[in-house]
Coordinates of all heavy atoms in Angstrom, one line a residue:
M1 N 23.3 4.2 8.8 CA 21.9 4.0 8.8 C 21.3 3.6 7.5 O 21.9 3.8 6.4 CB 21.2 5.3 9.3 CG 21.3 6.5 8.3 SD 20.4 7.9 8.9 CE 18.8 7.6 8.3
T2 N 20.2 3.0 7.5 CA 19.6 2.6 6.3 C 18.4 3.5 5.9 O 17.8 4.1 6.8 CB 19.0 1.1 6.4 OG1 18.1 1.1 7.5 CG2 20.1 0.1 6.6
I3 N 18.2 3.7 4.7 CA 17.1 4.5 4.2 C 16.0 3.6 3.8 O 16.2 2.6 3.0 CB 17.5 5.3 3.0 CG1 18.7 6.3 3.4 CG2 16.4 6.1 2.4 CD1 19.3 7.0 2.2
A4 N 14.8 3.8 4.4 CA 13.7 3.0 4.1 C 13.1 3.4 2.7 O 12.8 4.5 2.4 CB 12.6 3.2 5.1
H5 N 13.0 2.4 1.8 CA 12.4 2.6 0.5 C 11.0 2.2 0.6 O 10.7 1.2 1.2 CB 13.2 1.8 -0.5 CG 14.5 2.2 -0.8 ND1 14.8 3.3 -1.5 CD2 15.7 1.7 -0.4 CE1 16.1 3.5 -1.6 NE2 16.7 2.5 -0.9
P6 N 10.1 2.9 -0.1 CA 8.7 2.4 -0.1 C 8.7 1.1 -0.9 O 9.5 0.9 -1.8 CB 8.0 3.6 -0.9 CG 9.1 4.3 -1.6 CD 10.4 4.1 -0.8
A7 N 7.7 0.3 -0.5 CA 7.6 -1.0 -1.2 C 7.2 -0.7 -2.7 O 6.4 0.2 -3.0 CB 6.4 -1.8 -0.6
P8 N 7.8 -1.4 -3.6 CA 7.5 -1.2 -5.0 C 6.1 -1.5 -5.3 O 5.5 -2.5 -4.8 CB 8.5 -2.2 -5.8 CG 8.9 -3.2 -4.7 CD 8.8 -2.5 -3.4
R9 N 5.5 -0.6 -6.1 CA 4.1 -0.9 -6.5 C 4.0 -2.1 -7.4 O 4.9 -2.3 -8.2 CB 3.5 0.3 -7.2 CG 3.2 1.5 -6.2 CD 2.6 2.6 -6.9 NE 3.5 3.2 -8.0 CZ 3.1 3.6 -9.1 NH1 1.8 3.7 -9.4 NH2 4.0 4.1 -10.0
P10 N 3.0 -2.8 -7.4 CA 2.8 -3.9 -8.3 C 2.8 -3.4 -9.7 O 2.2 -2.4 -10.0 CB 1.5 -4.6 -7.9 CG 0.8 -3.6 -7.1 CD 1.8 -2.7 -6.5
T11 N 3.4 -4.1 -10.6 CA 3.4 -3.7 -12.0 C 2.1 -4.0 -12.6 O 1.6 -5.1 -12.6 CB 4.5 -4.5 -12.8 OG1 5.7 -4.4 -12.1 CG2 4.7 -3.9 -14.2
T12 N 1.5 -3.0 -13.2 CA 0.2 -3.2 -13.8 C 0.3 -3.7 -15.2 O 1.4 -3.7 -15.8 CB -0.6 -1.9 -13.9 OG1 0.1 -1.0 -14.8 CG2 -0.7 -1.2 -12.5
R13 N -0.7 -4.3 -15.8 CA -0.7 -4.8 -17.1 C -0.4 -3.6 -18.1 O 0.2 -3.9 -19.1 CB -2.1 -5.4 -17.4 CG -2.1 -6.7 -18.1 CD -3.4 -7.3 -18.2 NE -3.6 -8.4 -17.3 CZ -4.6 -9.2 -17.3 NH1 -5.6 -9.0 -18.1 NH2 -4.7 -10.2 -16.5
E14 N -0.9 -2.4 -17.8 CA -0.7 -1.3 -18.7 C 0.8 -1.0 -18.7 O 1.4 -0.7 -19.8 CB -1.5 -0.1 -18.2 CG -3.0 -0.2 -18.5 CD -3.7 -1.1 -17.6 OE1 -3.1 -1.5 -16.6 OE2 -4.9 -1.4 -17.9
E15 N 1.5 -1.0 -17.5 CA 2.9 -0.7 -17.5 C 3.7 -1.8 -18.3 O 4.7 -1.5 -18.9 CB 3.4 -0.6 -16.0 CG 2.9 0.7 -15.4 CD 3.1 0.7 -13.9 OE1 3.2 -0.4 -13.3 OE2 3.2 1.8 -13.3
R16 N 3.3 -3.0 -18.1 CA 4.0 -4.1 -18.8 C 3.8 -4.0 -20.3 O 4.6 -4.3 -21.1 CB 3.5 -5.5 -18.3 CG 4.2 -5.8 -17.0 CD 3.8 -7.2 -16.5 NE 2.4 -7.3 -16.1 CZ 1.6 -8.2 -16.4 NH1 1.9 -9.2 -17.1 NH2 0.4 -8.2 -15.9
A17 N 2.5 -3.6 -20.7 CA 2.3 -3.4 -22.1 C 3.1 -2.3 -22.7 O 3.6 -2.4 -23.8 CB 0.8 -3.1 -22.3
L18 N 3.3 -1.2 -22.0 CA 4.2 -0.1 -22.5 C 5.6 -0.6 -22.6 O 6.3 -0.2 -23.5 CB 4.0 1.1 -21.5 CG 4.7 2.4 -22.0 CD1 4.1 2.8 -23.3 CD2 4.4 3.5 -21.0
A19 N 6.1 -1.4 -21.6 CA 7.4 -1.9 -21.6 C 7.6 -2.8 -22.8 O 8.6 -2.8 -23.5 CB 7.7 -2.7 -20.3
L20 N 6.5 -3.6 -23.1 CA 6.6 -4.5 -24.3 C 6.6 -3.7 -25.6 O 7.4 -4.0 -26.5 CB 5.3 -5.4 -24.3 CG 5.1 -6.3 -25.5 CD1 6.2 -7.2 -25.8 CD2 3.8 -7.1 -25.4
Y21 N 5.8 -2.7 -25.6 CA 5.8 -1.8 -26.8 C 7.2 -1.2 -27.0 O 7.8 -1.2 -28.1 CB 4.8 -0.7 -26.7 CG 4.9 0.2 -27.9 CD1 4.5 -0.1 -29.1 CD2 5.5 1.5 -27.7 CE1 4.6 0.8 -30.2 CE2 5.7 2.4 -28.7 CZ 5.2 2.0 -30.0 OH 5.4 2.9 -31.0
R22 N 7.8 -0.7 -26.0 CA 9.1 0.0 -26.1 C 10.2 -1.0 -26.5 O 11.1 -0.7 -27.2 CB 9.5 0.6 -24.7 CG 8.7 1.9 -24.5 CD 9.0 2.5 -23.1 NE 8.4 3.8 -22.9 CZ 8.0 4.2 -21.7 NH1 8.2 3.5 -20.7 NH2 7.4 5.4 -21.7
A23 N 10.1 -2.3 -26.0 CA 11.1 -3.2 -26.3 C 10.9 -3.9 -27.7 O 11.9 -4.1 -28.4 CB 11.2 -4.3 -25.2
H24 N 9.7 -4.1 -28.1 CA 9.4 -4.9 -29.3 C 8.4 -4.3 -30.2 O 7.9 -5.0 -31.1 CB 9.0 -6.4 -28.8 CG 10.0 -7.1 -28.0 ND1 11.2 -7.5 -28.4 CD2 9.9 -7.4 -26.7 CE1 11.8 -8.1 -27.5 NE2 11.1 -8.0 -26.4
G25 N 8.0 -3.1 -30.0 CA 7.0 -2.5 -30.8 C 7.3 -2.5 -32.3 O 6.4 -2.7 -33.1
E26 N 8.5 -2.5 -32.7 CA 8.9 -2.5 -34.1 C 8.6 -3.9 -34.7 O 8.6 -4.0 -35.9 CB 10.4 -2.2 -34.2 CG 10.8 -0.9 -33.6 CD 10.6 0.3 -34.6 OE1 11.2 0.2 -35.7 OE2 9.9 1.3 -34.2
E27 N 8.5 -4.9 -33.8 CA 8.3 -6.2 -34.3 C 6.9 -6.6 -34.5 O 6.6 -7.7 -35.0 CB 9.0 -7.2 -33.4 CG 10.5 -7.0 -33.3 CD 11.1 -7.7 -32.0 OE1 10.7 -8.8 -31.7 OE2 11.9 -7.0 -31.3
I28 N 6.0 -5.7 -34.1 CA 4.5 -6.0 -34.3 C 4.2 -6.0 -35.8 O 4.6 -5.0 -36.5 CB 3.7 -5.0 -33.5 CG1 3.9 -5.1 -32.0 CG2 2.2 -5.3 -33.8 CD1 3.2 -4.1 -31.2
K29 N 3.6 -7.0 -36.2 CA 3.3 -7.1 -37.7 C 1.8 -7.3 -37.9 O 1.1 -8.0 -37.1 CB 4.0 -8.4 -38.3 CG 5.5 -8.3 -38.4 CD 6.0 -9.4 -39.2 CE 7.5 -9.4 -39.4 NZ 8.2 -9.8 -38.1
H30 N 1.3 -6.6 -39.0 CA -0.1 -6.9 -39.4 C -0.1 -8.1 -40.3 O 0.7 -8.1 -41.3 CB -0.6 -5.6 -40.2 CG -2.0 -5.8 -40.7 ND1 -2.3 -5.5 -42.0 CD2 -3.1 -6.3 -40.1 CE1 -3.6 -5.8 -42.2 NE2 -4.1 -6.3 -41.1
L31 N -0.9 -9.1 -40.0 CA -0.9 -10.3 -40.9 C -1.9 -10.2 -41.9 O -1.6 -10.1 -43.1 CB -1.1 -11.5 -40.0 CG 0.0 -11.9 -39.0 CD1 -0.4 -13.1 -38.2 CD2 1.3 -12.0 -39.6
S32 N -3.2 -10.1 -41.5 CA -4.3 -9.9 -42.5 C -5.5 -9.6 -41.8 O -5.8 -10.1 -40.7 CB -4.5 -11.2 -43.4 OG -5.0 -12.3 -42.6
G33 N -6.4 -8.9 -42.4 CA -7.7 -8.5 -41.8 C -7.4 -7.8 -40.5 O -6.7 -6.8 -40.4
A34 N -8.0 -8.4 -39.4 CA -7.9 -7.8 -38.1 C -6.8 -8.6 -37.2 O -6.8 -8.4 -36.0 CB -9.2 -7.8 -37.4
I35 N -6.0 -9.4 -37.9 CA -5.1 -10.2 -37.2 C -3.6 -9.6 -37.2 O -3.1 -9.2 -38.3 CB -5.0 -11.6 -37.8 CG1 -6.4 -12.2 -37.9 CG2 -4.1 -12.5 -37.0 CD1 -7.1 -12.4 -36.6
Y36 N -3.1 -9.5 -36.1 CA -1.7 -9.0 -35.9 C -0.8 -10.0 -35.2 O -1.4 -10.8 -34.4 CB -1.7 -7.7 -35.1 CG -2.5 -6.6 -35.8 CD1 -3.9 -6.6 -35.7 CD2 -1.9 -5.6 -36.6 CE1 -4.6 -5.6 -36.4 CE2 -2.6 -4.6 -37.2 CZ -4.0 -4.6 -37.1 OH -4.7 -3.7 -37.7
R37 N 0.5 -9.9 -35.4 CA 1.4 -10.8 -34.6 C 2.2 -9.9 -33.7 O 2.8 -9.0 -34.1 CB 2.3 -11.5 -35.6 CG 3.3 -12.5 -34.8 CD 3.7 -13.6 -35.7 NE 2.6 -14.5 -35.8 CZ 2.6 -15.5 -36.7 NH1 3.6 -15.7 -37.5 NH2 1.5 -16.3 -36.8
V38 N 2.1 -10.2 -32.4 CA 2.7 -9.4 -31.3 C 3.7 -10.2 -30.6 O 3.4 -11.3 -30.1 CB 1.6 -8.8 -30.4 CG1 2.3 -8.0 -29.3 CG2 0.6 -8.0 -31.1
P39 N 5.0 -9.7 -30.4 CA 6.0 -10.5 -29.7 C 5.6 -10.6 -28.2 O 4.9 -9.8 -27.7 CB 7.2 -9.7 -29.8 CG 7.0 -8.7 -30.9 CD 5.5 -8.5 -30.9
S40 N 6.1 -11.7 -27.6 CA 5.9 -11.8 -26.2 C 6.9 -10.9 -25.4 O 7.7 -10.2 -26.0 CB 6.2 -13.3 -25.7 OG 7.6 -13.6 -26.0
Q41 N 6.7 -10.7 -24.1 CA 7.5 -9.8 -23.4 C 9.0 -10.1 -23.4 O 9.8 -9.2 -23.3 CB 7.0 -9.7 -21.9 CG 5.6 -9.1 -21.8 CD 5.1 -9.1 -20.4 OE1 5.4 -8.3 -19.6 NE2 4.3 -10.1 -20.1
D42 N 9.3 -11.4 -23.5 CA 10.8 -11.7 -23.5 C 11.3 -11.8 -25.0 O 12.5 -12.0 -25.2 CB 11.0 -13.0 -22.8 CG 10.3 -14.2 -23.4 OD1 9.7 -14.0 -24.5 OD2 10.3 -15.3 -22.8
G43 N 10.4 -11.5 -25.9 CA 10.8 -11.5 -27.3 C 11.1 -12.9 -27.9 O 11.5 -13.0 -29.0
Q44 N 10.8 -14.0 -27.1 CA 11.2 -15.3 -27.6 C 10.0 -15.9 -28.4 O 10.2 -16.9 -29.1 CB 11.5 -16.2 -26.4 CG 12.7 -15.7 -25.5 CD 14.0 -15.7 -26.3 OE1 14.3 -16.8 -26.9 NE2 14.6 -14.6 -26.4
R45 N 8.8 -15.4 -28.1 CA 7.7 -16.0 -28.8 C 6.8 -14.9 -29.4 O 7.2 -13.7 -29.2 CB 6.8 -16.8 -27.8 CG 7.5 -17.9 -27.1 CD 6.7 -18.4 -26.0 NE 5.4 -19.1 -26.5 CZ 4.4 -19.5 -25.7 NH1 4.5 -19.4 -24.4 NH2 3.4 -20.1 -26.2
S46 N 5.8 -15.2 -30.1 CA 4.8 -14.2 -30.5 C 3.4 -14.8 -30.5 O 3.3 -16.0 -30.6 CB 5.2 -13.7 -31.9 OG 5.2 -14.8 -32.9
F47 N 2.5 -13.9 -30.4 CA 1.1 -14.4 -30.3 C 0.3 -13.6 -31.4 O 0.5 -12.5 -31.7 CB 0.5 -14.1 -29.0 CG 1.2 -14.8 -27.9 CD1 2.0 -14.2 -27.0 CD2 0.9 -16.2 -27.7 CE1 2.7 -14.9 -26.0 CE2 1.5 -16.9 -26.6 CZ 2.4 -16.2 -25.8
D48 N -0.7 -14.4 -32.0 CA -1.6 -13.8 -32.9 C -2.7 -13.1 -32.2 O -3.4 -13.7 -31.3 CB -2.2 -14.8 -33.9 CG -1.1 -15.3 -34.9 OD1 0.0 -14.8 -34.9 OD2 -1.4 -16.2 -35.6
V49 N -2.9 -11.8 -32.5 CA -3.9 -11.0 -31.8 C -5.0 -10.5 -32.8 O -4.6 -10.0 -33.9 CB -3.2 -9.8 -31.1 CG1 -4.3 -8.9 -30.5 CG2 -2.2 -10.2 -30.1
E50 N -6.2 -10.7 -32.5 CA -7.3 -10.1 -33.2 C -7.6 -8.8 -32.6 O -7.9 -8.7 -31.4 CB -8.5 -11.0 -33.3 CG -9.7 -10.5 -34.1 CD -10.9 -11.4 -34.2 OE1 -10.8 -12.5 -33.6 OE2 -11.9 -11.0 -34.7
Y51 N -7.6 -7.7 -33.4 CA -7.8 -6.4 -32.8 C -8.7 -5.6 -33.7 O -8.6 -5.5 -34.9 CB -6.4 -5.7 -32.8 CG -6.5 -4.3 -32.1 CD1 -6.7 -4.2 -30.7 CD2 -6.3 -3.2 -32.8 CE1 -6.7 -3.0 -30.1 CE2 -6.4 -1.9 -32.2 CZ -6.6 -1.9 -30.9 OH -6.6 -0.6 -30.3
G52 N -9.7 -5.0 -33.0 CA -10.7 -4.2 -33.8 C -12.0 -4.3 -33.0 O -12.0 -4.1 -31.8
R53 N -13.1 -4.5 -33.8 CA -14.4 -4.6 -33.1 C -14.4 -5.8 -32.1 O -15.0 -5.7 -31.0 CB -15.5 -4.8 -34.1 CG -16.1 -3.5 -34.5 CD -17.1 -3.7 -35.7 NE -16.4 -4.0 -36.9 CZ -16.9 -4.2 -38.1 NH1 -18.2 -4.2 -38.2 NH2 -16.2 -4.5 -39.1
H54 N -13.8 -6.9 -32.5 CA -13.6 -8.0 -31.6 C -12.1 -8.2 -31.2 O -11.3 -8.2 -32.1 CB -14.2 -9.3 -32.2 CG -14.0 -10.5 -31.4 ND1 -13.1 -11.5 -31.7 CD2 -14.6 -10.9 -30.2 CE1 -13.2 -12.4 -30.7 NE2 -14.1 -12.1 -29.8
E55 N -11.8 -8.3 -30.0 CA -10.4 -8.5 -29.6 C -10.2 -9.8 -28.9 O -11.0 -10.2 -28.0 CB -10.0 -7.3 -28.6 CG -10.0 -6.0 -29.3 CD -9.8 -4.8 -28.4 OE1 -9.7 -5.1 -27.2 OE2 -9.7 -3.7 -28.9
A56 N -9.1 -10.5 -29.3 CA -8.8 -11.8 -28.7 C -7.3 -12.0 -28.9 O -6.7 -11.4 -29.8 CB -9.5 -12.9 -29.4
C57 N -6.7 -12.8 -28.1 CA -5.3 -13.1 -28.2 C -5.1 -14.6 -27.9 O -5.9 -15.2 -27.2 CB -4.5 -12.3 -27.2 SG -2.7 -12.6 -27.3
A58 N -4.1 -15.2 -28.4 CA -3.8 -16.6 -28.3 C -3.0 -16.9 -27.1 O -2.7 -18.1 -26.8 CB -3.1 -17.1 -29.6
C59 N -2.6 -15.9 -26.2 CA -1.7 -16.2 -25.1 C -2.5 -16.7 -23.9 O -3.7 -16.6 -23.8 CB -1.0 -14.9 -24.7 SG -2.0 -13.7 -23.8
P60 N -1.8 -17.4 -23.0 CA -2.5 -18.0 -21.8 C -3.2 -17.0 -20.9 O -4.2 -17.3 -20.4 CB -1.4 -18.7 -21.1 CG -0.3 -18.9 -22.1 CD -0.4 -17.8 -23.1
D61 N -2.6 -15.8 -20.8 CA -3.1 -14.8 -20.0 C -4.5 -14.4 -20.4 O -5.5 -14.3 -19.6 CB -2.2 -13.5 -20.0 CG -2.7 -12.5 -19.0 OD1 -3.0 -12.9 -17.8 OD2 -2.7 -11.3 -19.3
Y62 N -4.7 -14.3 -21.8 CA -6.0 -13.9 -22.3 C -7.0 -15.1 -22.2 O -8.1 -15.0 -21.8 CB -5.9 -13.5 -23.8 CG -7.3 -13.1 -24.4 CD1 -7.8 -11.9 -24.2 CD2 -8.0 -14.1 -25.0 CE1 -9.0 -11.5 -24.7 CE2 -9.3 -13.8 -25.5 CZ -9.8 -12.5 -25.4 OH -11.0 -12.2 -25.9
L63 N -6.5 -16.3 -22.5 CA -7.3 -17.5 -22.5 C -7.8 -17.8 -21.1 O -9.0 -18.2 -21.0 CB -6.6 -18.7 -23.1 CG -6.2 -18.6 -24.6 CD1 -5.4 -19.8 -25.0 CD2 -7.5 -18.5 -25.4
Y64 N -7.0 -17.7 -20.1 CA -7.4 -18.2 -18.8 C -7.9 -17.1 -17.9 O -8.7 -17.3 -17.0 CB -6.2 -19.0 -18.1 CG -5.8 -20.2 -18.9 CD1 -4.6 -20.3 -19.5 CD2 -6.7 -21.2 -19.1 CE1 -4.2 -21.4 -20.2 CE2 -6.4 -22.3 -19.9 CZ -5.1 -22.4 -20.4 OH -4.8 -23.5 -21.2
R65 N -7.3 -15.9 -18.0 CA -7.8 -14.8 -17.2 C -8.8 -13.9 -17.8 O -9.6 -13.3 -17.2 CB -6.5 -14.0 -16.7 CG -6.0 -14.5 -15.4 CD -5.0 -13.5 -14.8 NE -3.7 -13.6 -15.4 CZ -2.6 -13.0 -15.0 NH1 -2.8 -12.0 -14.1 NH2 -1.5 -13.2 -15.6
G66 N -8.7 -13.8 -19.2 CA -9.7 -13.0 -19.9 C -9.3 -11.6 -19.8 O -8.4 -11.1 -19.1
G67 N -10.1 -10.8 -20.6 CA -9.8 -9.4 -20.6 C -8.6 -9.1 -21.5 O -8.0 -9.9 -22.1
S68 N -8.3 -7.8 -21.6 CA -7.2 -7.4 -22.4 C -5.8 -7.8 -21.8 O -5.5 -7.5 -20.7 CB -7.2 -5.8 -22.6 OG -8.3 -5.5 -23.3
C69 N -5.0 -8.5 -22.6 CA -3.7 -8.9 -22.1 C -2.7 -7.9 -22.6 O -3.0 -6.9 -23.3 CB -3.4 -10.3 -22.7 SG -3.3 -10.3 -24.5
V70 N -1.4 -8.1 -22.2 CA -0.4 -7.1 -22.6 C -0.2 -7.0 -24.1 O 0.2 -5.9 -24.6 CB 1.0 -7.4 -21.9 CG1 0.9 -7.3 -20.4 CG2 1.4 -8.8 -22.3
H71 N -0.5 -8.1 -24.8 CA -0.3 -8.0 -26.2 C -1.4 -7.2 -26.9 O -1.1 -6.4 -27.8 CB -0.4 -9.5 -26.8 CG 0.5 -10.4 -26.0 ND1 0.0 -11.4 -25.2 CD2 1.8 -10.5 -25.9 CE1 1.0 -12.0 -24.6 NE2 2.1 -11.5 -25.0
I72 N -2.6 -7.3 -26.5 CA -3.7 -6.4 -27.0 C -3.4 -5.0 -26.6 O -3.5 -4.1 -27.5 CB -5.1 -6.9 -26.5 CG1 -5.4 -8.3 -27.0 CG2 -6.1 -5.8 -26.8 CD1 -6.7 -8.8 -26.5
L73 N -3.0 -4.8 -25.4 CA -2.7 -3.4 -25.0 C -1.5 -2.8 -25.7 O -1.5 -1.6 -26.1 CB -2.4 -3.3 -23.5 CG -3.6 -3.7 -22.6 CD1 -3.2 -3.8 -21.1 CD2 -4.7 -2.6 -22.7
A74 N -0.4 -3.6 -25.9 CA 0.8 -3.1 -26.7 C 0.4 -2.8 -28.1 O 0.9 -1.8 -28.7 CB 1.9 -4.2 -26.6
L75 N -0.5 -3.6 -28.7 CA -1.0 -3.4 -30.0 C -1.8 -2.1 -30.1 O -1.7 -1.3 -31.0 CB -1.8 -4.6 -30.5 CG -2.4 -4.5 -31.9 CD1 -1.3 -4.2 -33.0 CD2 -3.1 -5.8 -32.3
A76 N -2.6 -1.9 -29.0 CA -3.4 -0.6 -29.0 C -2.5 0.6 -28.9 O -2.7 1.6 -29.5 CB -4.3 -0.7 -27.7
I77 N -1.4 0.5 -28.1 CA -0.4 1.6 -28.1 C 0.2 1.8 -29.5 O 0.4 2.9 -29.9 CB 0.7 1.2 -27.0 CG1 0.1 1.2 -25.6 CG2 1.8 2.3 -27.1 CD1 1.0 0.6 -24.6
A78 N 0.6 0.7 -30.1 CA 1.2 0.8 -31.5 C 0.3 1.5 -32.5 O 0.8 2.3 -33.3 CB 1.7 -0.6 -32.0
T79 N -1.0 1.1 -32.4 CA -1.9 1.7 -33.4 C -2.1 3.2 -33.0 O -2.3 4.1 -33.9 CB -3.2 1.0 -33.4 OG1 -3.8 0.9 -32.1 CG2 -3.1 -0.4 -34.0
A80 N -2.2 3.5 -31.7 CA -2.4 4.9 -31.2 C -1.2 5.8 -31.6 O -1.4 6.9 -32.0 CB -2.6 4.9 -29.7
K81 N 0.0 5.2 -31.6 CA 1.1 6.0 -32.0 C 1.4 6.0 -33.4 O 2.3 6.7 -33.9 CB 2.4 5.4 -31.2 CG 2.4 5.7 -29.7 CD 3.6 5.1 -29.1 CE 3.7 5.5 -27.6 NZ 4.1 6.9 -27.4
G82 N 0.7 5.2 -34.2 CA 0.9 5.2 -35.6 C 2.0 4.3 -36.1 O 2.4 4.3 -37.2
T83 N 2.5 3.5 -35.1 CA 3.6 2.5 -35.5 C 3.0 1.4 -36.4 O 3.6 1.0 -37.4 CB 4.1 1.8 -34.3 OG1 4.5 2.8 -33.3 CG2 5.3 0.9 -34.6
I84 N 1.7 1.1 -36.2 CA 1.0 0.1 -37.0 C -0.2 0.7 -37.6 O -0.9 1.4 -36.9 CB 0.6 -1.1 -36.1 CG1 1.8 -1.9 -35.7 CG2 -0.5 -2.0 -36.8 CD1 2.3 -2.9 -36.7
R85 N -0.4 0.5 -38.9 CA -1.6 1.0 -39.6 C -2.7 0.0 -39.3 O -2.6 -1.2 -39.4 CB -1.3 1.1 -41.1 CG -1.0 2.6 -41.5 CD -0.6 2.6 -42.9 NE -1.4 1.7 -43.8 CZ -2.5 2.1 -44.4 NH1 -3.0 3.3 -44.2 NH2 -3.1 1.2 -45.1
H86 N -3.8 0.6 -38.9 CA -5.0 -0.2 -38.6 C -6.0 -0.1 -39.7 O -6.7 1.0 -39.8 CB -5.5 0.2 -37.2 CG -6.5 -0.8 -36.7 ND1 -7.6 -1.2 -37.4 CD2 -6.6 -1.5 -35.5 CE1 -8.3 -2.1 -36.6 NE2 -7.7 -2.3 -35.5
P87 N -6.2 -1.1 -40.5 CA -7.1 -0.9 -41.7 C -8.5 -0.6 -41.3 O -9.1 0.3 -41.9 CB -7.1 -2.3 -42.3 CG -5.8 -3.0 -41.9 CD -5.5 -2.4 -40.5
E88 N -9.0 -1.1 -40.2 CA -10.4 -0.9 -39.8 C -10.6 0.6 -39.3 O -11.6 1.1 -39.4 CB -10.8 -1.8 -38.6 CG -11.1 -3.2 -39.1 CD -11.8 -4.0 -38.0 OE1 -12.3 -3.5 -37.1 OE2 -11.7 -5.3 -38.1
L89 N -9.4 1.2 -38.8 CA -9.5 2.5 -38.3 C -9.2 3.6 -39.4 O -9.4 4.7 -39.2 CB -8.6 2.7 -37.1 CG -8.9 1.8 -35.9 CD1 -7.9 2.1 -34.8 CD2 -10.3 2.1 -35.4
A90 N -8.6 3.1 -40.5 CA -8.2 4.0 -41.6 C -9.4 4.3 -42.4 O -9.6 3.8 -43.5 CB -7.1 3.4 -42.4
A91 N -10.3 5.1 -41.9 CA -11.6 5.4 -42.6 C -11.3 6.2 -43.9 O -10.5 7.1 -43.9 CB -12.5 6.2 -41.6
G92 N -12.0 5.7 -44.9 CA -11.9 6.4 -46.2 C -10.6 6.1 -46.9 O -10.2 6.7 -47.9
A93 N -9.8 5.1 -46.4 CA -8.6 4.7 -47.1 C -8.9 4.1 -48.4 O -9.8 3.3 -48.6 CB -7.8 3.7 -46.2
V94 N -8.2 4.5 -49.4 CA -8.3 4.0 -50.8 C -7.1 3.1 -51.1 O -6.0 3.5 -51.0 CB -8.4 5.1 -51.8 CG1 -8.6 4.5 -53.2 CG2 -9.6 6.0 -51.5
S95 N -7.4 1.8 -51.4 CA -6.3 0.9 -51.7 C -6.2 0.6 -53.2 O -7.2 0.7 -53.9 CB -6.4 -0.4 -50.9 OG -7.7 -1.0 -51.2
Ligands
ZN101 ZN1 -2.0 -11.9 -25.2

């Protein structure tokens, strides 16, 4: 007999962002100001992401669909976990 499996739920952008962070979080780099470089999900490319008061990404998903893409979300996870230091969020930081 066969066991019926429930249909897989569609993968959400948040789940893909977490997978991206787990696979390539160490490769996220702060470039300058509010600009970061975030690897693509396959690790073959990378996109420049503006993160902070204004958020934008150079990837097609952001450009054509709009809203937060997996790169912005993965960067948000990285800053929340402290993997990446976020200058704008480091209040009172003395350099
Ligand atoms: Zn993106």
Side-chain angles (χ1 to χ4, degrees):
M1 67 177 273
T2 55
I3 298 171
H5 291 283
R9 285 182 301 145
T11 309
T12 65
R13 227 173 249 188
E14 286 76 11
E15 286 168 336
R16 282 184 286 137
L18 190 55
L20 170 59
Y21 171 77
R22 284 177 176 151
H24 302 290
E26 305 272 305
E27 298 162 43
I28 297 175
K29 289 190 182 74
H30 176 230
L31 295 183
S32 67
I35 307 298
Y36 298 80
R37 181 152 290 167
V38 180
S40 62
Q41 291 175 83
D42 61 9
Q44 299 298 306
R45 304 171 62 188
S46 60
F47 297 104
D48 288 356
V49 177
E50 182 180 356
Y51 184 71
R53 265 172 291 181
H54 178 251
E55 293 174 356
C57 182
C59 76
D61 188 43
Y62 180 87
L63 292 176
Y64 298 117
R65 267 192 278 185
S68 294
C69 61
V70 293
H71 312 105
I72 292 175
L73 293 172
L75 180 54
I77 294 168
T79 56
K81 286 180 178 286
T83 306
I84 287 282
R85 260 169 41 87
H86 193 306
E88 284 188 22
L89 299 181
V94 179
S95 56

